[in-house]
Amino acid sequence: MVMRYLKLCPVIFLVIGMTITTSAQETAAPTPDSAVAAPVLPPTADAKEIVRRSVEIDHHNFERARNYTCRQREVERELTKDGSAKSTHIKTFDITFLAGEPYSRLIQKDDKSLSDNDQKKEEEKMEKFIAKHRDESENDHQKRLAKEEKERQEGRLFLRDVINAFDFKLLGEEQLEGKDTYVIEAVPRKDFHPTQPHADLLEKVRGKLWIEKQDYNWVKADVETIDTISFGLFLARIHKGSRLTFEQTRVNDEVWLVHRVAINASARLALLKNMAMDQEDIFSDYKKFSTGTRIVGFSELEPVKKTEPQ
């Protein structure tokens, strides 16, 4: 619960779609063979144009990403005032798409197999999820698809605010993940006027981006809050200096997928307690599967066709 609020501010800067956590449409994604090739663009040294191109590329990435499952290992630490770990909690999840939606299944706690009780809870959770879609009326099904499409469109509108909210400066070039990248600094514009909900938070973060030169994919981003961010009147306050690092990796030479998300943040919850947290999520073992089967019952789930892990 705590980390949900700590993540919200910096992640909003990365709303272009951390592919595992973004909601998905039920329609099957195009495969690389059927996908339309991105147009060849002329070289540019304009930092804002580089970012704009990267946003467009990410929409193509999102569709291909829905063809992959992965494993997520989440390490969450509550820190003392001197920065040492007060407590550590580790959870490991299998991430897949069921009925066109991302689904997380807890498979380990503290790197150990689940207890019988926790395993039963996970099975009940999945059965409930499947029953929900199995019993879904056509009207409810269409409403869900419409809601997901609305969220996608709102995300795209938000991206326009992201592009307009910052002054982008090309700092130089570096090689990451074996790729030549542009290094771009993003500093909030003082004359920015948000048009979308929550876009006012953008004026309270700054960042640095590493964008692949060849196809304009995001390879890495570092984000820092430069002012206190409040959620609701008394719900939570994220303090200045909270940081997030976001990294992607190339999988199967066809798609860039999230590899690492690291957060170091402090917050005050409900005006009662200041907390310092450190969390690292590693996404690995990406496997490709075929989509197109709608779930009709727990025992009728078709096995996915997987490639070798990445």
Side-chain angles (χ1 to χ4, degrees), residues 11-195:
V11 169
I12 207 166
F13 181 76
L14 301 171
V15 71
I16 64 169
M18 294 164 60
T19 55
I20 300 303
T21 56
T22 307
S23 62
Q25 297 172 328
E26 189 178 56
T27 53
T31 63
D33 292 335
S34 64
V36 177
V40 177
L41 300 171
T44 180
D46 183 284
K48 184 175 181 179
E49 174 61 15
I50 292 170
V51 174
R52 188 196 67 77
R53 292 178 182 183
S54 74
V55 167
E56 294 302 318
I57 289 295
D58 190 80
H59 293 322
H60 299 295
N61 238 7
F62 174 81
E63 295 299 335
R64 292 188 179 99
R66 293 176 55 206
N67 286 333
Y68 283 85
T69 66
C70 74
R71 180 161 292 188
Q72 174 188 1
R73 185 174 183 268
E74 174 187 284
V75 180
E76 180 180 323
R77 302 179 183 89
E78 184 176 351
L79 307 178
T80 62
K81 291 182 179 180
D82 63 5
S84 59
K86 182 191 301 185
S87 62
T88 301
H89 303 283
I90 303 173
K91 293 182 179 180
T92 304
F93 302 87
D94 268 341
I95 311 293
T96 188
F97 280 87
L98 297 180
E101 294 185 15
Y103 185 86
S104 301
R105 181 170 64 90
L106 180 66
I107 59 173
Q108 289 183 336
K109 283 185 177 181
D110 297 323
D111 294 329
K112 298 178 181 178
S113 299
L114 296 182
S115 65
D116 291 343
N117 185 49
D118 285 338
Q119 181 65 37
K120 182 179 179 181
K121 288 181 180 178
E122 287 301 306
E123 291 174 356
E124 291 174 347
K125 174 186 170 186
M126 177 174 277
E127 289 174 350
K128 183 177 180 180
F129 178 90
I130 292 172
K132 172 185 174 183
H133 290 281
R134 181 189 60 214
D135 301 333
E136 186 179 50
S137 68
E138 182 60 28
N139 184 50
D140 288 341
H141 177 63
Q142 293 301 323
K143 285 182 179 179
R144 177 165 62 87
L145 293 185
K147 180 175 180 291
E148 291 167 359
E149 176 60 21
K150 180 182 177 182
E151 290 172 351
R152 289 292 306 278
Q153 293 300 326
E154 288 175 347
R156 289 174 179 174
L157 290 173
F158 186 91
L159 287 176
R160 295 179 184 175
D161 272 357
V162 171
I163 294 171
N164 294 323
F166 297 92
D167 283 321
F168 297 103
K169 179 181 179 181
L170 183 60
L171 300 180
E173 299 178 8
E174 290 183 17
Q175 191 169 79
L176 287 178
E177 288 280 329
K179 303 290 185 180
D180 293 327
T181 67
Y182 297 108
V183 184
I184 296 175
E185 180 183 56
V187 177
R189 294 173 57 98
K190 293 183 179 179
D191 60 349
F192 170 62
H193 299 289
T195 66

